[in-house]
Amino acid sequence: MTAGTLRRNGVFGAAVLALLAVPAPAVAEEQAVAGGRSATQAQAVSQEAVRAAALPAPDLAGLRAVLRSAVRQGAPGATARIDERGTVRKEAVGIADRGTNRAAADADRFRIGSVTKTFTAVVLLQLVDEGKLKLDTSVNRYLPGLLPDDKITVRHVLSHRSGLYDYTNDMFAKTVPGFEAVRTKKFTYRQLVNLSLRHPRTGRPGAAYSYSNTNFVVGGLLAEKLTGRTIATEYRKRIVEPLKLRDTFYVHPDTALPGRYARGYLTPDEAGAGLVDSTRQTVSWAQSAGAVISTAKDLNTFYSALLGGRLTSKKSLTEMQRWVTVNDTQAYGLGLRRRTLTCGVSVYGHTGAVQGYYTFAFTSKDGRRSLTSMVNTSNNGTVLNTMLGTLESAFCGKQAETRSGSVPVERYEDIAPSVAVAVAVAD
Ligand code: REX
């Protein structure tokens, strides 16, 4: 059964929505963090600190096996890179360009999708540090009349608890036609927000986690309003230049990736249909929610710096890590995901999905070990699920295998509900 078939049958919509429905514990977890730690929580935190200091060695053979599986399952190419205190481990399988058959390589640039959300959050948290923005203030205070409810705060937006509908649900209900309809379009942020506001809100402000790209479009608007400069300038001045990220760009609305890059290949919904080269696009539908271009090396540098406390104040980094529960193994902070792996280690970063590319970029609690893995296809839930195994190999090493007997299978990735795709159990 293909992803398309399953989606058409509506099997997944309900299941994914059930996973995303945020239960009361989400708020409870956040309140616990806000209101001081219980003994159990303090113990969990110290155990986490011990684990971070002594992570199992990465399993490079396992990592390579995961990439090979992803290629067997339909990704033209797959790469993974681990950076740990100056030591680099990298693996690449398959091809970056189906036209020339050029092999996939660690240095290839690619579209990082929602990993962009952490960049946007960092810009905003730096503005908090500078006293120009307050997390618990209404978005409308900074952008009068933008949102239909003054109770929606900056924190709600950055933690996906605004209740603002995700306009990409409609946009990409049909994968290839949806993509082709926006491939060369240029939207303003406000046009995207207005697409969202055509729909009822998904919940009360602050009540529940409900993933929505709209939130980080609002984030981009806030950054531009408060600084009087473009988001491209803010990414460059605040992140790219200080960290010397030589392969990180925000070229919106240009459609080309600069320099050497992996081409992206979108998987159509229809079983058996050929991959669509989706490399060139404005990514205007995502902008500050998903349009950055980067490399594995730069993303590893970025997350190591962030968790290592080099991009924001300590207080802001703590705010970014006030977690709202997503499901059993995942939580969301402010533009930051936390995933707990089978060996008990938690990792911090973000996932990304834009047409033709899936990215996983995560680091350890102390920022010392970072992994970025990517494939140059998307809309292939089997591949997406397989690639989760790169986190297991990188942070749990062989412990991941001995515990579960195989790479763990998580059936759904947390992406916007209507664009989530079905997965088959990994081979
Ligand atoms: C857009 C559709 C999915 C992709 C999306 N992407 O919301 C954001 C993102 C920017 O990166 N989210 C990640 C398309 C997962 C995150 O926040 O962690 N799918 C595709 C469809 C399905 O069109 N009909 O797979 O390329």
Side-chain angles (χ1 to χ4, degrees), residues 325-345:
T325 302
V326 172
N327 61 31
D328 282 358
T329 56
Q330 294 184 55
Y332 206 88
L334 301 179
L336 194 64
R337 290 188 184 281
R338 182 188 71 193
R339 302 188 71 109
T340 303
L341 305 175
T342 56
C343 59
V345 168

Side-chain angles (χ1 to χ4, degrees), residues 33 74 97 109 116 133 179 201 247 261 264 279 283 300 305 317 328 370 380 415 424-425:
V33 177
D97 185 330
R109 294 171 181 163
T116 304
L133 179 68
F179 168 63
R201 269 160 294 135
D247 299 305
Y261 55 85
T279 314
V283 206
N300 285 351
L317 186 56
D328 282 358
S370 297
N380 181 332
I415 63 176
V425 174

Side-chain angles (χ1 to χ4, degrees), residues 132-248:
K132 294 177 184 141
L133 179 68
K134 286 194 164 56
L135 288 174
D136 296 309
T137 294
S138 168
V139 169
N140 281 349
R141 166 94 186 274
Y142 303 104
L143 296 162
L146 179 74
L147 301 181
D149 188 340
D150 287 344
K151 289 197 277 305
I152 300 174
T153 67
V154 176
R155 189 190 299 279
H156 295 155
V157 160
L158 291 179
S159 57
H160 291 298
R161 292 182 298 136
S162 64
L164 293 169
Y165 178 85
D166 190 344
Y167 58 84
T168 63
N169 290 346
D170 308 333
M171 216 175 239
F172 302 128
K174 290 184 181 155
T175 303
V176 175
F179 168 63
E180 295 297 0
V182 300
R183 189 199 271 262
T184 57
K185 271 216 174 132
K186 185 174 177 206
F187 295 99
T188 64
Y189 287 128
R190 282 174 193 271
Q191 281 170 332
L192 295 173
V193 172
N194 286 339
L195 289 178
S196 162
L197 296 181
R198 285 186 195 165
H199 292 266
R201 269 160 294 135
T202 54
R204 281 182 299 108
Y209 172 91
S210 178
Y211 183 85
S212 174
N213 286 300
T214 315
N215 291 314
F216 282 79
V217 167
V218 172
L221 256 177
L222 277 169
E224 294 199 349
K225 174 73 190 283
L226 290 169
T227 61
R229 290 184 291 269
T230 62
I231 194 73
T233 303
E234 294 309 299
Y235 291 151
R236 190 159 45 76
K237 291 273 176 224
R238 294 172 181 277
I239 302 169
V240 171
E241 288 176 359
L243 296 181
K244 299 190 171 56
L245 305 182
R246 300 193 202 288
D247 299 305
T248 302

